[in-house]
Amino acid sequence: MGNSKLYKGSLTTIILKLLEEHGKMYGYEITQKVKDITKGELMITEGALYPALHKLEAEDLLDVEVVKVDNRMRKYYKLTEKGSEETVNKLKELEQYIRNMHVLVNPKWSID
């Protein structure tokens, strides 16, 4: 995997985008989806994921649904209306950041 510090600042955006696409997901499912999508290049640890999920829940961006699966309780996370709005904002911020980075590392590119 590349520099994990580069990804750390994007974790919230990654979580919000996955939940936007998939409706509701549980923690392990999120880690596996990221691993699959990136072909193992990015692996989100539980130590990074769960604090981020709890923070998003505290900010009223996520709802939590607890479901019994195979005699175990599983927490599913899904976006609130506020979370859906924040997803749009975070994706716009990320797109602008990527454009700016392209300009900085390759001055031949133009933001226009």
Side-chain angles (χ1 to χ4, degrees):
M1 181 176 90
N3 188 338
S4 63
K5 289 180 184 176
L6 292 175
Y7 294 112
K8 186 177 181 184
S10 303
L11 182 57
T12 296
T13 306
I14 291 167
I15 293 168
L16 294 173
K17 179 62 177 168
L18 285 174
L19 292 173
E20 177 191 57
E21 290 177 355
H22 298 281
K24 66 179 184 178
M25 300 175 81
Y26 57 96
Y28 180 75
E29 184 179 17
I30 293 170
T31 64
Q32 293 307 297
K33 182 58 82 175
V34 169
K35 182 180 174 183
D36 291 345
I37 291 170
T38 65
K39 296 180 175 67
E41 286 291 315
L42 177 57
M43 309 235 305
I44 298 175
T45 65
E46 289 181 12
L49 178 66
Y50 287 102
L53 287 170
H54 295 150
K55 182 175 184 279
L56 292 169
E57 182 184 0
E59 294 173 350
D60 195 33
L61 301 178
L62 299 182
D63 275 334
V64 176
E65 178 183 354
V66 180
V67 177
K68 189 172 186 177
V69 178
D70 297 328
N71 288 330
R72 294 178 49 203
M73 302 309 282
R74 181 178 286 168
K75 274 187 169 182
Y76 283 91
Y77 299 90
K78 63 182 180 178
L79 295 176
T80 61
E81 185 175 330
K82 183 178 173 185
S84 295
E85 294 168 5
E86 184 64 13
T87 301
V88 171
N89 294 335
K90 289 286 189 188
L91 290 172
K92 285 179 183 176
E93 288 174 9
L94 182 59
E95 288 170 6
Q96 184 63 47
Y97 173 78
I98 291 168
R99 279 195 298 274
N100 287 332
M101 289 305 295
H102 277 294
V103 171
L104 289 170
V105 299
N106 189 352
K108 295 176 189 173
W109 283 46
S110 173
I111 291 182
D112 299 326

